[in-house]
Amino acid sequence: MAHLPTVPHADRFYSFLLSFYPREYQVKYREQMMIVFRDLYREQISEHGTIPIIFWIRIIGDTMIAALSQHLSVKREFHFNGRALLIFFFIIPVIASLFSQIFGPALVGLLGFYHFNESGNLASFLSLVPFALVTPMSLVSLVTSFLALQHFRDKGSRFLFYWLGPSLLTGLIYTLPQEIMVTREYPFKLSEEVLNFFFFVGIYTVIPSGLLGTSLGLTYVHIHNRPSFAVIKSSFSFKRFFSLALLLSLFFTFLSGFFLNGVHYEKIDGGIHYFIHRGVPFPYNGVIREGATPPFPLVKLSAFRSKNELLNTPFYKMVHVYAFFQNVFFYFLLSLFPSYIFTTSVTRKRSFNVLIVSFAVLLMIIFWYWMNSVR
Amino acid sequence: MSKSPLFSDLNAPLTPSVFYVLLSLSIKERHGYEIMRQVLEDSKGKVRLGPGTLYGTLKRMLDEGLVIETDERPDPQLDDERRRYYRLSDRGQKMLSAELERFADALAVAQKGKVKLSF
């Protein structure tokens, strides 16, 4: 066989994944990796008759870790490490977005089924599909990530810029649309809104930038100050330090995931009921007036006479769980990967135990949450 | 050629992926996919290299002169002529031998101390 036949869709996707590698690396190895990928793909087909999900999970995981490792090793300079982490930082919202793109339609499917059973009205279900496919968070994440990547790729680097800039930008980008949706006007009309605004900017900004900044700072020390690093290492248990960092990351993950979805309140102002729920990327936040059409066509107004009624609707529960998954997933990746990558770069040991334990903890959190919130 | 502390010392222990790649190439020259299959087989499924890990490892090994890309290509009728083949260098052979010696020494110590071996 002089030329192996190609598998177009899989080829295209893997080719996209390869674009995360440094350019110099791609020039040298792209073709070889494509050939190996095709071999592996065919092997799966011949063994299983189809492509199991685990194959794609392995391929994506392998690419992400190897691509970052190549970015870190192309030149052992802070400039490139900063850029690699910057790129990775923007990849995370993209992954979170893809996640919501998968679960958004699934949720709409469930809601549609529920509603169709109740009313037999397919039209209102179909009208929701665009909302689910282009949720605000997904759209904002994807667009800003790609634009930022494009813009910053060839620029110089500054520590603070890399640390604070993208974090602040992401925090603002996630927070502003929510605020505008809730208040229906801008600038803010209530001091409470201003406080909330800063609270959420803080959540979206401080935690990620803190974790990213810590990782960057330690990476900088590791790369540029190797002798001192060795001295520090001799008097300091890195294993303990990173275990602690991982635990803290998971703690913040849990905390932010929980509170972002647990913050909801009711205000009654001049006969207008405000049911506000943060972190839900659906057009669900806003004002619900007595006798008016709610913003979400599937839900009847009569179901929202009180907060308890609202909380007990299957729709709310599903959105609640969906948003929780999305946020936990987002923060989980955001906090885990810098710790994980730095741990492996320091110890030279690709300990997947870290990943496995983290996933186990995440599953426990989700299970606990599920047991306590959906009855 | 960048000098990595990983391979600068002949007596330094190798990572599992580097060790198994060296081992697979000690038998004959191979291309990427063949190396992956051989590593999986030699490690009894414990070391599974994805394309990213494999070529990352090969790149480091090429940089450090542990493996060499061969110029010889098989008959184009039998294989894709774009494939690159790799073989062990003298330095790679020495590293592998040193690692195997270390294993043998450790095994001897374990046997001498009557350590229970489960294999």
Side-chain angles (χ1 to χ4, degrees), chain A residues 1-4 14 21 25 28-29 31-33 35-36 38-40 43 58-59 62 66 70 348, chain B residues 6 15 32-33 36-37 48 50-53 55-56 59 62 76-84 86:
Chain A
M1 55 185 172
H3 286 283
L4 296 167
Y14 191 63
Y21 282 90
Y25 187 87
K28 279 187 186 169
Y29 297 104
E31 188 180 44
Q32 295 304 305
M33 291 175 79
I35 293 171
V36 169
R38 282 175 202 144
D39 287 333
L40 283 173
E43 179 191 279
R58 278 190 188 133
I59 288 288
D62 175 66
Q70 285 309 318
R348 300 279 179 202
Chain B
L6 277 178
T15 61
Y33 179 67
M36 280 169 79
R37 301 308 310 161
R48 183 187 289 272
T53 317
Y55 279 97
K59 180 181 176 293
L62 282 164
Q77 296 300 315
L78 300 173
D79 198 2
D80 188 335
E81 72 270 25
R82 293 171 302 169
R83 286 189 198 277
R84 288 187 209 153
Y86 302 92

Side-chain angles (χ1 to χ4, degrees), chain A residues 62-316:
Chain A
D62 175 66
T63 307
M64 289 300 162
I65 291 168
L68 190 81
S69 151
Q70 285 309 318
H71 277 286
L72 290 168
S73 66
V74 166
K75 284 188 182 175
R76 295 194 135 257
E77 291 172 10
F78 172 65
H79 176 87
F80 278 86
N81 287 288
R83 183 188 290 183
L85 282 173
L86 173 72
I87 289 169
F88 201 82
F89 182 80
F90 279 104
I91 288 171
I92 291 164
V94 175
I95 293 171
S97 305
L98 290 174
F99 182 79
S100 71
Q101 296 290 359
I102 294 165
F103 279 84
L107 177 66
V108 167
L110 280 171
L111 289 169
F113 182 73
Y114 163 75
H115 181 66
F116 188 67
N117 270 352
E118 292 251 310
S119 67
N121 184 359
L122 192 61
S124 62
F125 160 57
L126 291 175
S127 71
L128 278 176
V129 174
F131 286 105
L133 291 175
V134 193
T135 61
M137 185 175 172
S138 307
L139 194 65
V140 169
S141 300
L142 283 170
V143 172
T144 53
S145 302
F146 285 120
L147 283 179
L149 266 180
Q150 193 72 27
H151 182 72
F152 294 128
R153 182 162 286 172
D154 300 318
K155 300 280 179 189
S157 67
R158 281 184 184 178
F159 182 76
L160 274 176
F161 173 77
Y162 274 125
W163 174 9
L164 203 58
S167 301
L168 190 63
L169 186 71
T170 312
L172 285 169
I173 284 167
Y174 282 150
T175 312
L176 273 174
Q178 288 191 36
E179 287 303 324
I180 293 166
M181 275 202 309
V182 170
T183 59
R184 304 287 187 194
E185 60 183 75
Y186 188 77
F188 314 98
K189 63 177 180 182
L190 295 169
S191 61
E192 192 180 355
E193 293 297 335
V194 178
L195 286 174
N196 278 329
F197 172 74
F198 284 110
F199 173 70
F200 282 98
V201 169
I203 280 189
Y204 281 119
T205 305
V206 175
I207 295 170
S209 64
L211 289 165
L212 192 71
T214 307
S215 303
L216 268 172
L218 291 172
T219 309
Y220 183 82
V221 170
H222 174 53
I223 291 160
H224 282 282
N225 220 357
R226 197 173 279 275
S228 303
F229 183 76
V231 171
I232 298 166
K233 195 176 178 180
S234 65
S235 61
F236 188 78
S237 167
F238 273 88
K239 198 175 173 185
R240 210 177 304 154
F241 176 78
F242 285 111
S243 304
L244 187 67
L246 188 67
L247 277 175
L248 279 173
S249 302
L250 285 169
F251 174 72
F252 280 120
T253 299
F254 168 74
L255 208 65
S256 55
F258 182 81
F259 277 110
L260 274 177
N261 293 286
V263 176
H264 44 249
Y265 57 92
E266 181 185 10
K267 278 190 299 187
I268 303 173
D269 179 18
I272 299 171
H273 291 247
Y274 294 83
F275 294 103
I276 299 170
H277 180 89
R278 306 287 180 161
V280 178
F282 268 78
Y284 191 74
N285 298 340
V287 180
I288 301 168
R289 293 163 189 273
E290 291 286 350
T293 307
F296 204 77
L298 273 183
V299 185
K300 291 173 186 171
L301 183 67
S302 57
F304 296 96
R305 291 276 162 77
S306 72
K307 194 169 85 175
N308 281 341
E309 281 186 48
L310 170 75
L311 293 175
N312 285 326
T313 55
F315 160 74
Y316 186 90

